[in-house]
């Protein structure tokens, strides 16, 4: 019982720290070129990302406004 409590406490602590530093962790992971390529390839295999983001990348007239 005590071992389960320690494991659950460790998991909750790890998840909260990763959430707190999520952008720092993501930048560190994506700094490695192999992992960056894998992340892009994985995201391009997701239909939602492909249909919403991919068509606007190369058209030149995206939804961004210039100030």
């Amino acid at each position: 019982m005590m071992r389960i409590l320690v494991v659950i406490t460790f998991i909750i602590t790890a998840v909260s720290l990763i959430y707190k530093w999520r952008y720092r962790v993501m930048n560190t992971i994506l700094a490695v070129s192999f992992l960056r390529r894998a992340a892009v390839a994985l995201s391009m295999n997701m239909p939602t990302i492909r249909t919403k983001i991919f068509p606007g990348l190369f058209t030149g007239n995206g939804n961004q406004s210039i100030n």
Side-chain angles (χ1 to χ4, degrees):
M1 181 67 180
M2 185 61 122
R3 184 176 182 176
I4 293 172
L5 185 62
V6 169
V7 169
I8 290 173
T9 304
F10 177 74
I11 290 172
I12 290 172
T13 303
V15 168
S16 66
L17 287 176
I18 289 173
Y19 181 76
K20 181 180 178 181
W21 297 324
R22 62 191 178 271
Y23 298 114
R24 185 178 297 174
V25 170
M26 185 171 40
N27 285 336
T28 303
I29 291 172
L30 293 178
V32 179
S33 64
F34 170 75
L35 295 176
R36 185 174 51 246
R37 284 187 210 142
V40 169
L42 181 67
S43 65
M44 285 298 126
N45 286 331
M46 296 179 185
T48 304
I49 293 176
R50 231 185 9 230
T51 57
K52 289 186 178 181
I53 295 175
F54 195 64
L57 285 177
F58 302 110
T59 58
N61 59 357
N63 294 331
Q64 298 175 354
S65 64
I66 299 173
N67 294 332

